């Protein structure tokens, strides 16, 4: 009897700390899931086939039963929306129809043939552990037909921050409101980082709003744990408009500072009610950063020129000081602008940390943050109208969605 | 340390996968008994042409004198025998992980997955030789390394690597979808760094201790029940003390030096006191769990208790020191201790569960049928019956995820304190 699962050593391992080759994920060279019944005899002919002729009904094991019970606790309703890797449905508890949930059903992906998709694994892993009022909570998990993963999430009926920002005609808000929203976002990000989790996709449409006005960070499909020092990560994360310069320059070692930059971009967008730096390509994104914030150089960011993809426009722009922001962002006051400027420090080492953000004096100065019950809400004009409004703004929503998809797709093959 | 413990108590590792030794043993007994009953039932309902035993004897299926067929039931594995095999296969898993040059985190996560899975599933039900690869494959993913199944299969020279995928969802379910495992590696780095700040510590000695402790962490806690009983920092301290007891005592002195006298912090401990047992219906959880487990996990303030806990963990780890790697692949040992059990296993395994590929196919078929019938009828036929089964079997797991997760906890460490 062969007792060892081992074979002759492979020449290079795909599991090493620093994978050299990026494994293909799009099916090149990856055999499709074969028809099971065909390959299984040749594979191991002393494995008895189950009594497949009288398989129905096959009794359920405890885990299977538990899953059935969990699944039966919820009734799935209408579709709420569709993301890159999941469809989201409204649901309610079977025992009490007033308890609403969102059921996120992971799509079976054609281009990912290697079992449970990376987004699903990441979202499951982190949401399962992170319990915080400003992070969407995972209520349950079950599998449905075809072994689809279903994440039961708290239902967040009031849309997302993007809807509020964009609905300029009907949604009015002021500095106290922005302070409240930013405060909730900052806490969520701090909590992630304090638990060694990077979100890596912070943007207004991933900030969902609960019935009581609480903002909840959602969509952990790109999240990962902080890497051990020296370990490389993929630079291809975060939707372009919210992506910090170190990632645009291809940094493979980075920290919570990447999320903080995104927080800064959301902050700016809340104030000016349009994406602050909306590049159509990565090159354009870098150009916008250089123009609006300043050109990264060895002077303001030692080591930056060593990053793999460091290229900046030739006419160097000096980093803008606080005063320069006052005109466009002054609505949040000098203290608010001070915080904003600190979140968009070019050098990630000099960028404010999530914890320092929470300690910033802006929160304590007037105006006080609006109580969450009193925060502006999306207009009750109906979601269809909303969707139509979004479509009328060419380039904005569509471009962003595409950016997100690109980041996702390329990330599949990467280690982390 | 206190903060870390409060955080730890919110983790799925603590809430779902921490048990006292008594409780763990009881769960395993129950799993074993349930598997025996189910397998016996399934075997006896099989048509008597038995390819379900790998070594059928010529007489096994011969009609008796009275003409009736007697598919004689095999001898089943006992709980200690199951435990022995799980340990053996864990060592195989670690060897496979070494072979593939996987990171410490991946191997440790995979090992934890494997052992967790076999708390509530019998090794007679699902094939350990397959599940160890499933655990490794999914362990890679859980640690953020997404490698294709083809590549994975190549590393282990598997002819049909996609078979491994057939077990992935099963594993996830068995883990109750809690796929984050907390390890002691980071804590060891922290401890070493703290020791390095002390004035009179010999660098070489410290480096040697860290090295040895890491070696221990790579094996001993993974192949024993340490992860079920102790927190990552307790395991780390136990490993460090195996490496260098003196240094560990220095570290402990240092730690207690910093800890204020037990703060009677009623506020800060709120979530703990409602703890994992808090919102749960009392009937669902056996009595041993609450008090005993907490005694081991809470309480860094009480020095003696901590020392006692670390000593106990140390003793557990000492049973499987890294040198035992050789033990588990030694031919003589295998022949004497493992091979007989594997032979026995091959005769008593579950005929309906052993082939994961086929099992997945059947499950999908069933699910499709169920889904169809559910569409027609909101309460599927058989639902009531199914629930009865659950009442018997389901209690193997503590509570369902929902009640605890729905409940919002006050967050301890938000420097903001209350609302803005
Ligand atoms: N908890 C929830 N409560 C209410 N609606 C939700 C909830 N989660 C998601 N939705 C809705 O479902 C849609 C899809 O969500 P999902 O997070 O899968 O994708 P997305 O973030 O829109 O897109 P992508 O995956 O490309 O980032 C969201 O846009 C939102 O309208
Ligand atoms: Mg999203």
């Amino acid at each position: 009897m062969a007792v060892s699962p081992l074979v002759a050593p492979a020449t290079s391992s795909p599991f090493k700390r620093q994978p050299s080759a990026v494994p293909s994920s799009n099916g090149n060279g990856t055999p499709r899931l074969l028809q099971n019944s065909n390959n299984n005899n040749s594979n191991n002919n002393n494995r008895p086939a189950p009594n497949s002729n009288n398989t129905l009904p096959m009794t359920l094991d405890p885990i299977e039963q538990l899953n059935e019970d969990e699944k039966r606790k919820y009734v799935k309703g209408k579709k709420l929306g569709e993301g890159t890797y999941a469809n989201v449905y409204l649901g309610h508890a079977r025992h009490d129809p007033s308890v609403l949930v969102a059921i996120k059903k992971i799509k079976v992906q054609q281009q990912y043939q290697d079992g449970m998709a990376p987004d699903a694994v990441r979202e499951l892993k982190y949401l399962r552990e992170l319990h915080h009022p400003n992070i969407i909570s995972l209520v349950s998990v079950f599998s449905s037909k075809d072994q689809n993963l279903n994440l039961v999430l708290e239902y967040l009926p009031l849309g997302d921050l993007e809807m509020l920002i964009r609905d300029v005609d009907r949604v009015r808000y002021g500095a106290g409101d922005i302070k409240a929203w930013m405060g909730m976002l900052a806490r969520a990000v701090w909590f992630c980082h304090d638990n060694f989790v990077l979100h890596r996709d912070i943007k207004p449409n991933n900030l969902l709003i609960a019935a009581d006005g609480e903002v909840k960070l959602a969509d952990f499909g790109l999240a990962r744990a902080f890497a051990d020092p020296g370990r490389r990560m993929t630079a291809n994360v975060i939707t372009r408009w919210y992506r910090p310069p170190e990632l645009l320059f291809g940094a493979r070692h980075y920290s919570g500072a990447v999320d903080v930059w995104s927080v800064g971009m959301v902050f700016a967008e809340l104030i000016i009610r349009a994406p602050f730096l909306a590049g159509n390509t990565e090159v354009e994104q870098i150009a916008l950063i250089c123009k609006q914030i300043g050109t990264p150089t060895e002077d303001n960011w030692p080591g930056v020129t060593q990053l793999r993809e460091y290229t900046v426009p030739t006419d160097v722009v000096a980093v803008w000081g606080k005063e320069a922001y006052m005109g466009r962002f002054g609505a949040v006051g000098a203290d608010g602008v001070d915080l904003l400027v600190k979140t968009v420090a070019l050098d990630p080492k000099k960028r404010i940390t999530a914890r320092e953000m929470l300690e910033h004096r802006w929160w304590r100065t007037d105006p006080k943050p609006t109580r969450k019950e009193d925060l502006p809400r999306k207009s009750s004009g109906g979601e269809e109208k909303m969707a139509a409004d979004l479509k009328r703004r060419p380039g904005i929503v569509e471009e962003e969605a595409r950016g997100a998809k690109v980041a996702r797709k390329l990330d599949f093959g990467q280690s982390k | 340390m206190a903060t870390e413990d409060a955080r730890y108590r919110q983790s799925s590792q603590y809430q779902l996968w921490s048990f006292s030794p008594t409780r763990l043993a009881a769960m395993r007994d129950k799993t074993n008994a349930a598997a025996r009953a189910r397998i016996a039932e399934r075997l006896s309902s099989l048509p008597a042409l038995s390819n379900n035993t790998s070594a059928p004897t010529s007489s096994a299926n011969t009609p008796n004198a009275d003409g009736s067929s007697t598919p004689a039931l095999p001898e089943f594995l006992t709980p200690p025998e199951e435990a022995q095999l799980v340990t053996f296969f864990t060592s195989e898993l670690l060897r496979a992980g070494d072979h593939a040059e996987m990171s410490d985190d991946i191997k440790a996560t995979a090992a934890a997955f494997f052992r967790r899975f076999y708390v509530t599933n019998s090794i007679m039900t699902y094939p350990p030789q397959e599940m160890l690869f499933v655990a490794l494959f999914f362990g890679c993913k859980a640690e953020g390394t997404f490698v294709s199944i083809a590549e994975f299969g190549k590393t282990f020279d598997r002819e049909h690597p996609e078979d491994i995928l057939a077990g992935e969802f099963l594993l996830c379910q068995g883990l109750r979808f809690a796929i984050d495992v907390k390890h002691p590696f980071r804590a060891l780095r922290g401890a070493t760094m703290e020791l390095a700040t002390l004035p009179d510590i010999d660098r070489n000695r410290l480096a040697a201790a860290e090295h040895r402790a890491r070696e221990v962490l790579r094996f001993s806690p993974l192949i024993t029940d340490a992860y079920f009983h102790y927190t990552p920092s307790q395991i780390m301290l136990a490993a460090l003390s195996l490496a260098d007891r003196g240094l560990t005592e220095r570290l402990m002195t240092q730690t207690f030096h910093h800890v204020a006298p037990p703060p009677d912090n009623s506020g800060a401990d709120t979530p703990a006191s409602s703890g994992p047992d808090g919102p749960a219906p009392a009937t669902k959880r056996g009595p041993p769990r609450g008090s005993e487990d907490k005694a081991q996990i809470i309480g860094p303030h009480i020095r003696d208790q901590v020392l006692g806990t670390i000593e106990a963990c140390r003793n557990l780890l000492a049973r499987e020191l890294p040198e035992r790697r050789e033990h588990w692949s030694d031919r003589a040992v295998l022949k004497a201790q493992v091979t007989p059990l594997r032979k026995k296993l091959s005769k008593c395994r579950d005929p309906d569960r052993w082939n994961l590929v086929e099992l997945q196919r059947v499950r999908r078929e069933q699910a499709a049928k169920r889904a169809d019938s559910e569409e027609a009828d909101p309460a599927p036929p058989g639902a009531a019956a199914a629930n009865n089964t659950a009442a018997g079997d389901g209690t193997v797991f503590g509570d369902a995820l929902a009640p605890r997760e729905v409940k919002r906890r006050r967050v301890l460490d938000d420097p903001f304190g209350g609302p803005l």
Side-chain angles (χ1 to χ4, degrees), chain B residues 184-185 188 213-222 235-236 239:
Chain B
F185 300 114
L188 177 62
R214 190 167 297 277
E215 237 175 49
V216 171
L217 292 184
R218 285 186 180 127
F219 185 75
S220 313
L222 304 177
I235 295 171
M236 179 278 289

Side-chain angles (χ1 to χ4, degrees), chain A residues 28 120 187:
Chain A
N28 333 341
R187 287 167 177 228

Side-chain angles (χ1 to χ4, degrees), chain B residues 225-254:
Chain B
D225 287 332
Y227 275 47
F228 293 118
H229 304 325
Y230 303 100
T231 68
S233 46
Q234 288 166 348
I235 295 171
M236 179 278 289
L237 287 169
L240 192 61
S241 118
L242 280 167
D244 190 326
R245 203 190 264 277
L247 279 182
T248 313
E249 275 163 12
R250 270 305 295 281
L251 184 66
M252 299 292 290
T253 316
Q254 201 64 18

Side-chain angles (χ1 to χ4, degrees), chain A residues 80-88 102 104 136 153-157 160 163 201 203 205-206 208 219 401 404-405 408:
Chain A
L80 289 171
E82 176 160 2
T84 318
Y85 82 106
N87 288 315
V88 182
K104 186 163 184 173
I136 190 170
L153 301 164
E154 62 178 319
Y155 176 54
L156 302 170
D160 56 54
M163 291 179 181
D201 199 14
K203 56 180 175 179
N205 106 327
N206 282 340
L208 306 186
D219 199 348
K405 270 174 201 151
R408 286 259 159 97

Side-chain angles (χ1 to χ4, degrees), chain A residues 97 182 217 234 248 276 307 362:
Chain A
M182 285 300 297
L217 181 56
T234 171
L248 291 163
F276 177 31
L307 292 174
W362 182 53

Side-chain angles (χ1 to χ4, degrees), chain A residues 35-48:
Chain A
Q35 240 349 75
N36 295 328
S37 40
N38 293 344
N39 70 51
N40 111 62
N41 285 344
S42 58
N43 179 26
N44 186 346
N45 48 18
N46 65 12
R47 280 193 304 183

Side-chain angles (χ1 to χ4, degrees), chain A residues 3 5 13 16 36 43 51 56 58-59 61 64 114 116 125 128-129 131 143 187 190 194 358 416, chain B residues 12 16 42 92 100-101 126 141-144 149 163 168-169 352-353 357 363 366 405 413 416 418:
Chain A
V3 290
S13 163
K16 274 190 208 165
N36 295 328
N43 179 26
N51 44 340
L56 297 175
M58 186 191 255
T59 47
D61 283 352
E64 297 164 331
D114 301 300
M116 196 184 286
K125 173 171 176 179
R128 190 76 183 69
E129 304 297 323
H131 310 291
S143 66
R187 287 167 177 228
W190 165 78
D194 206 47
L358 292 180
K416 306 218 175 178
Chain B
S12 61
L16 292 180
R42 283 168 194 163
E92 290 290 275
E101 300 178 63
Y126 297 109
K141 287 182 169 188
E143 292 302 324
I149 191 67
D163 287 5
E168 187 182 61
F169 213 84
D352 280 357
R353 298 292 186 278
V357 172
R363 284 293 177 236
Q366 282 186 321
E405 301 298 294
D413 305 306
F416 259 36

Side-chain angles (χ1 to χ4, degrees), chain A residues 85-143:
Chain A
Y85 82 106
N87 288 315
V88 182
Y89 301 87
L90 180 61
H92 65 80
R94 193 176 291 277
H95 73 89
D96 179 359
S98 71
V99 178
L100 297 178
V101 293
I103 301 178
K104 186 163 184 173
K105 184 173 179 183
I106 311 303
K107 293 179 193 169
V108 178
Q109 297 187 12
Q110 284 316 312
Q111 78 274 34
Y112 191 79
Q113 293 286 321
D114 301 300
M116 196 184 286
D119 309 66
V121 174
R122 297 189 190 105
E123 185 140 76
L124 178 59
K125 173 171 176 179
Y126 297 111
L127 285 186
R128 190 76 183 69
E129 304 297 323
L130 296 171
H131 310 291
H132 187 275
N134 299 113
I135 293 175
I136 190 170
S137 72
L138 181 66
V139 177
S140 177
V141 185
F142 63 83
S143 66

